[in-house]
Amino acid sequence: MSDLHIYFETGAIGDTGLNLCRANIAMEFMKHDSSIVHTSPIFRCHGKEKQSCPNVKEILNSCKFIKTVEYDVDYNNRNSFNFSKKYNCQIHQPMFFREENNIKEWIDLQKYIPTINECEKIAVLQPISLDLKPPPHLDDYVPVWDRCVNLLQEKGYSIFMVGGPNDKIDLTMKSKTIDKTVNKLGKWSILEALAFTIYKADIVLACDSWSAIWGPASKIKTFTAWGHRMENNIDFWVTGFLGNKEYYEYGWSSQKEYCDAYLAGKISDYLAKREENGKV
């Protein structure tokens, strides 16, 4: 048995999904059986600093190939990102890609699935998330969802809206569109929303946040409105860790109604193809 020593940021749920893919891919390429995660007790992003997220720790604890999480990285000591004194070994930041992943094979969050009334077809919508986004470009992270939501509602989907209690959903949809969703903002914890998404959703509508990663990583068809850093090819390269290209379509949230119309067209095409194949 051998361990991959790997560095993770542990402040964001979406990054954690990518990091789990990155670690599993690296274990295959580097011939390791398990991973030891090295991280910092704090998280810095776009000039903000916060504590490492306890929900991320819970996700990592549920992963069958993560042996332990060590909080031994110090932002004030660059060497601590690359070398572990405790284990006397290198900490890797591997950059291998793979075409296919299935994150549900590695983690078990089923105990967090919230109970709902029976639904035949389920869509999850994470409409907006501005936390930790670069302040000069916040408007470029505000998508529009009216056409997508109306289309899915017409097709018989129950649309569960997830996110934080202060998410500004009124910037993304008309009030009559919001009324067509089942509003779970702030009512489900992040782990409940995540578990519901990966285990129950048939389709995911994702803003530039965790749902855009965890939907495709769980092999659920996902329609994403990416924000500024993805649109400008600053961060888009990280989708190489995600793989599963056939499981997501995307547009740019800065394009507002045009992005909504584009993704609605992609949804329509996807549903039509399912109907052709005898699926509803």
Side-chain angles (χ1 to χ4, degrees):
M1 298 289 288
S2 62
D3 299 324
L4 169 68
H5 289 261
I6 185 170
Y7 170 74
F8 278 16
E9 291 280 12
T10 50
I13 302 296
D15 288 350
T16 300
L18 284 173
N19 280 327
L20 287 172
C21 293
R22 184 167 64 100
N24 192 267
I25 296 165
M27 286 166 52
E28 176 186 348
F29 275 81
M30 299 172 71
K31 310 299 183 185
H32 290 293
D33 306 292
S34 57
S35 290
I36 293 176
V37 172
H38 298 265
T39 189
S40 170
I42 63 172
F43 172 64
R44 292 176 179 172
C45 183
H46 303 306
K48 300 178 182 178
E49 182 175 305
K50 59 188 290 188
Q51 295 298 307
S52 180
C53 179
N55 292 318
V56 170
K57 181 67 180 301
E58 182 66 17
I59 293 168
L60 297 182
N61 286 342
S62 81
C63 180
K64 65 183 183 181
F65 65 77
I66 300 291
K67 183 178 286 188
T68 190
V69 179
E70 299 285 356
Y71 291 89
D72 56 355
V73 173
D74 181 357
Y75 275 93
N76 296 315
N77 179 4
R78 296 305 302 175
N79 289 334
S80 69
F81 283 81
N82 303 310
F83 189 82
S84 169
K85 290 183 178 179
K86 178 177 179 178
Y87 293 92
N88 192 32
C89 70
Q90 181 181 355
I91 300 171
H92 296 275
Q93 298 198 41
M95 296 293 173
F96 303 109
F97 296 155
R98 188 168 62 198
E99 292 185 358
E100 185 176 359
N101 295 291
N102 189 350
I103 206 166
K104 287 188 288 190
E105 294 179 350
W106 316 326
I107 64 162
D108 183 4
L109 297 173
Q110 295 188 64
K111 67 181 180 181
Y112 291 105
I113 301 173
T115 301
I116 62 165
N117 295 328
E118 192 67 28
C119 299
E120 184 178 351
K121 296 186 287 188
I122 293 175
V124 168
L125 163 65
Q126 187 189 12
I128 186 170
S129 178
L130 299 180
D131 186 33
L132 298 179
K133 299 300 189 292
H137 304 288
L138 284 184
D139 186 61
D140 289 344
Y141 289 89
V142 180
V144 172
W145 293 113
D146 291 291
R147 289 196 184 194
C148 291
V149 169
N150 286 324
L151 173 61
L152 289 174
Q153 195 262 344
E154 290 169 5
K155 294 294 186 179
Y157 281 81
S158 298
I159 304 159
F160 290 81
M161 185 163 54
V162 299
N166 299 316
D167 287 347
K168 299 178 179 180
I169 59 173
D170 58 309
L171 299 178
T172 71
M173 290 173 283
K174 299 179 176 69
S175 59
K176 63 182 181 181
T177 306
I178 294 172
D179 290 341
K180 295 177 181 178
T181 71
V182 181
N183 189 343
K184 295 297 181 181
L185 297 177
K187 299 173 184 176
W188 286 348
S189 71
I190 181 61
L191 292 177
E192 288 174 324
L194 175 58
F196 186 80
T197 299
I198 66 175
Y199 295 117
K200 295 297 184 181
D202 299 297
I203 284 178
V204 176
L205 302 180
C207 65
D208 191 322
S209 190
W210 59 265
S211 57
I213 301 301
W214 285 84
S218 303
K219 294 191 171 182
I220 301 165
K221 191 67 175 185
T222 301
F223 300 86
T224 299
W226 286 122
H228 171 81
R229 290 180 63 86
M230 287 295 202
E231 180 179 2
N232 289 276
N233 205 26
I234 301 168
D235 292 338
F236 199 81
W237 64 274
V238 302
T239 60
F241 300 128
L242 178 61
N244 294 355
K245 289 184 178 180
E246 69 271 31
Y247 287 97
Y248 64 92
E249 307 285 350
Y250 62 88
W252 312 123
S253 53
S254 67
Q255 296 180 1
K256 309 301 182 188
E257 287 83 2
Y258 177 82
C259 179
D260 185 28
Y262 175 77
L263 290 178
K266 290 294 185 180
I267 293 170
S268 183
D269 292 344
Y270 171 70
L271 295 179
K273 185 172 293 187
R274 283 180 61 85
E275 289 177 8
E276 288 177 9
N277 295 332
K279 300 176 182 179
V280 294

